[in-house]
């Protein structure tokens, strides 16, 4: 593409501003996010010890195990994870959100509690909270969201700036000059590395934004008004058990669940009250294999079911991107996201080194843009659209532009009232 020199300078200026705003947080998010990818590997030894039991004798009924687990915690047990083999402890879970989850593991042969795990007390939970909100609660979440928004700007402006002015040459994709001084070396290292991860980085950012407060809230609202989320048949609150006699034991529901032969991790949500239902759902990296079933607690019969193919397009997109963000699609996904985190750290560090080597004392190093230059209507329209889609970015842009306008007016006022005199 043919580049506009003035537009290139203008975008370089905004690329610099985006870097100033987001660079410290990029380093934090890249390192903490890369670390969190190893959650399952780090926690596996502990969970394996909790879940693995010796097979001996006749196991207790699941109903009896449920009673033992309930006595071991002050919270109401609300779900049970289906054991896949006989040598696995039964996991009973209380809490519905990440900060309230507790798991009690019961040895089905002895009734002993093999582990009582409180998620919020684990080290990797703290890493996740640091990655998502900088350990600052809702305020921290908004800071992370703002940094993510400006990262999008960094990627888009960076691609345009890096794109060669002259005829395209494939060696540009790999060209890192080593004999032209440190600044050029760090500059090329930043530019080439950033280009190679740009598409993946945008995907990862898209997968993280649904967790945020402002963008995530707006996304959920749009999902609701367009009816592109979960179908009503997915939600167990739309079903009621018809009371007739005594409730069926948990063992009957579990046997029915085994018969469904669902792939992946299968969880049975327990009824909350007399009219509540059992809800069976499975989690698997292959999202299209996820299903959900609702079972009457008195008759033990399936009264509702649904499949992933009936989930709305916005929810399907959201879940795919969020799973990709966490590297849940298997080894290939894990490697891609971890490699992106490593290269993003390298690109950010090299950008900082290049800038410090380029920057002159007393000068921010922002390239001057001709004052008469006005960005085209297409660019302005795109920025407005980006500001609408990413509200915190739009708000920060208004603040920056407002501050700049006030500064310009103040400078003009000082100059024209003679407060600044030569000599």
């Amino acid at each position: 593409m043919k580049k506009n020199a003035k537009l290139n300078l203008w975008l370089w200026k905004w690329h610099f501003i985006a870097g100033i705003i987001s660079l410290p947080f990029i380093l934090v998010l890249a390192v903490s996010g890369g670390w969190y990818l190893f959650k399952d590997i780090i926690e596996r030894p502990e969970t394996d010890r909790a879940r693995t039991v010796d097979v001996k004798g006749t196991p207790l009924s699941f109903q009896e195990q449920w009673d033992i687990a309930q006595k071991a915690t002050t919270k109401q047990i609300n779900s049970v994870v289906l054991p896949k083999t006989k040598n696995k402890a039964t996991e009973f879970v209380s809490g519905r959100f990440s900060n309230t989850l507790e798991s009690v593991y019961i040895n089905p042969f002895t009734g002993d509690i093999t582990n009582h795990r409180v998620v919020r007390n684990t080290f990797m939970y703290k890493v996740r909270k640091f990655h998502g909100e900088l350990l600052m609660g809702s305020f921290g979440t908004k800071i992370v969201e703002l940094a993510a928004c400006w990262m999008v700007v960094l990627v888009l402006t960076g691609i345009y700036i890096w794109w060669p002015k002259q005829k395209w040459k494939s060696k540009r994709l790999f060209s890192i000059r080593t004999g032209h001084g440190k600044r050029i070396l760090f500059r090329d290292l930043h530019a080439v590395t950033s280009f190679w991860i740009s598409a993946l980085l945008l995907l990862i950012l898209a997968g993280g934004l649904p967790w945020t407060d402002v963008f995530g809230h707006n996304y959920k609202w749009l999902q609701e008004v367009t009816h592109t989320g979960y179908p009503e048949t997915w939600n167990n609150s739309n079903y009621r058990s018809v009371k007739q006699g005594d409730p069926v034991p948990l063992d009957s529901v579990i046997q029915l669940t085994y018969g469904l032969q669902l792939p992946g991790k299968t969880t049975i949500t327990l009824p909350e009250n007399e009219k509540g239902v059992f809800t069976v759902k499975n989690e698997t990296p292959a999202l299209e294999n996820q299903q959900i079933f609702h079972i009457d607690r008195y008759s033990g019969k399936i009264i509702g079911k649904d499949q992933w193919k009936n989930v709305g397009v916005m929810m399907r997109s959201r879940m795919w991107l969020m799973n990709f963000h966490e590297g849940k699609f298997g080894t290939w996904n894990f490697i891609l996201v971890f490699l992106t985190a490593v290269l993003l750290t390298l690109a950010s560090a090299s950008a900082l080194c290049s800038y410090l080597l380029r920057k002159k004392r007393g000068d921010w190093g922002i390239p001057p843009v001709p004052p008469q230059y006005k960005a085209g209507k297409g660019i302005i329209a795109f920025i407005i659209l980006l500001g609408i889609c990413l509200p915190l970015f739009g708000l920060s842009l208004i603040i920056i532009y407002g501050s700049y306008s006030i500064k310009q007016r103040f400078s003009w006022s000082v100059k024209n009232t003679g407060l600044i005199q030569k000599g």
Side-chain angles (χ1 to χ4, degrees):
M1 66 181 163
K2 187 176 180 181
K3 294 177 72 172
N4 182 312
K6 293 180 180 178
L7 174 61
N8 192 64
L9 283 173
W10 190 77
L11 290 177
W12 204 104
K13 178 178 181 178
W14 283 104
H15 186 75
F16 173 84
I17 293 172
I20 288 292
I21 293 173
S22 59
L23 184 59
F25 303 104
I26 290 175
L27 290 169
V28 168
L29 294 177
V31 173
S32 60
W35 198 347
Y36 190 73
L37 286 171
F38 290 87
K39 174 181 178 294
D40 290 342
I41 296 174
I42 293 173
E43 294 183 342
R44 188 173 297 151
E46 179 188 353
T47 54
D48 283 348
R49 285 194 297 270
R51 291 172 179 168
T52 305
V53 299
D54 295 327
V55 179
K56 53 183 180 182
T58 303
L60 301 172
S61 69
F62 286 101
Q63 190 71 43
E64 291 175 306
Q65 295 178 57
W66 181 4
D67 293 336
I68 295 172
Q70 187 58 74
K71 291 177 182 177
T73 178
T74 56
K75 296 183 177 180
Q76 181 67 35
I77 297 290
N78 53 31
S79 63
V80 56
V81 179
L82 198 68
K84 291 294 184 180
T85 58
K86 291 183 178 180
N87 69 330
K88 295 298 181 185
T90 308
E91 180 184 358
F92 291 89
V93 182
S94 61
R96 298 190 181 280
F97 304 101
S98 59
N99 63 327
T100 61
L101 288 178
E102 292 185 21
S103 291
V104 177
Y105 296 88
I106 304 296
N107 184 325
F109 300 98
T110 65
D112 294 335
I113 297 172
T114 61
N115 195 10
H116 186 171
R117 184 171 181 269
V118 181
V119 171
R120 66 176 175 273
N121 293 338
T122 63
F123 174 72
M124 292 309 294
Y125 174 77
K126 292 178 175 61
V127 173
R128 178 178 180 176
K129 298 296 283 185
F130 184 64
H131 179 71
E133 58 186 45
L134 307 176
L135 302 179
M136 297 169 64
S138 180
F139 178 71
T141 302
K142 292 178 177 63
I143 293 177
V144 170
E145 180 177 356
L146 180 62
C149 294
W150 278 99
M151 283 175 70
V152 174
V153 177
L154 267 177
V155 173
L156 297 178
T157 54
I159 290 174
Y160 186 90
I161 294 167
W162 175 82
W163 206 266
K165 297 178 183 179
Q166 308 299 328
K167 186 178 179 180
W168 175 260
K169 295 179 181 179
S170 59
K171 70 176 183 179
R172 177 81 173 176
L173 291 169
F174 311 95
S175 179
I176 298 178
R177 292 165 287 182
T178 57
H180 296 75
K182 292 181 180 180
R183 187 184 73 80
I184 297 298
L185 171 64
F186 285 124
R187 182 261 181 201
D188 285 355
L189 191 61
H190 166 72
V192 174
T193 303
S194 298
F195 173 78
W196 278 107
I197 65 172
S198 57
L200 283 172
L201 185 54
L202 288 174
L203 269 180
I204 293 170
L205 288 170
L209 284 170
W211 272 298
T212 59
D213 287 352
V214 182
F215 177 88
H217 174 78
N218 291 343
Y219 191 96
K220 291 175 184 176
W221 173 83
L222 184 60
Q223 191 174 273
E224 290 177 5
V225 298
T226 57
H227 303 290
T228 51
Y230 284 122
E232 290 186 2
T233 47
W234 202 272
N235 193 338
N236 61 5
S237 63
N238 292 307
Y239 292 92
R240 295 289 184 272
S241 293
V242 179
K243 189 172 182 179
Q244 45 184 358
D246 296 326
V248 296
L250 178 59
D251 295 70
S252 298
V253 177
I254 288 181
Q255 290 307 313
L256 173 61
T257 304
Y258 275 127
L260 297 174
Q261 297 183 339
L262 300 174
K265 177 182 176 180
T266 303
T267 302
I268 302 173
T269 302
L270 307 172
E272 295 182 353
N273 49 53
E274 290 185 350
K275 294 184 178 180
V277 299
F278 290 98
T279 297
V280 178
K281 61 180 178 181
N282 66 319
E283 298 176 25
T284 172
L287 296 175
E288 65 275 10
N289 291 331
Q290 292 189 9
Q291 299 182 65
I292 193 162
F293 299 84
H294 306 289
I295 302 170
D296 187 289
R297 72 174 302 187
Y298 298 99
S299 67
K301 294 180 180 179
I302 295 175
I303 56 177
K305 60 181 179 180
D306 218 319
Q307 297 177 309
W308 182 255
K309 65 181 181 181
N310 298 323
V311 175
V313 63
M314 286 190 70
M315 177 59 79
R316 277 187 284 168
S317 301
R318 173 186 169 189
M319 294 306 298
W320 192 95
L321 288 168
M322 291 171 77
N323 279 13
F324 182 84
H325 181 94
E326 293 189 294
K328 287 187 175 180
F329 290 127
T331 304
W332 67 270
N333 187 189
F334 175 90
I335 292 173
L336 280 180
V337 178
F338 179 68
L339 188 61
T340 302
V342 172
L343 293 179
L344 179 59
T345 303
L346 175 63
S348 301
S350 57
L352 180 60
C353 291
S354 177
Y355 168 71
L356 292 176
L357 290 169
R358 177 184 185 276
K359 180 181 176 298
K360 298 177 181 178
R361 182 175 294 181
D363 180 19
W364 280 95
I366 304 176
V369 182
Q372 68 274 17
Y373 175 70
K374 303 295 182 183
K377 293 181 179 178
I379 296 292
I380 299 300
F382 179 75
I383 292 173
I384 292 173
L385 178 63
L386 201 60
I388 294 173
C389 294
L390 305 172
L392 284 187
F393 164 71
L395 178 61
S396 65
L397 207 58
I398 291 172
I399 293 173
I400 291 172
Y401 183 77
S403 301
Y404 177 77
S405 298
I406 292 172
K407 180 182 177 182
Q408 289 295 99
R409 290 182 181 181
F410 178 76
S411 298
W412 181 90
S413 177
V414 169
K415 180 179 179 181
N416 285 273
T417 53
L419 293 178
I420 297 179
Q421 299 180 359
K422 292 183 178 180

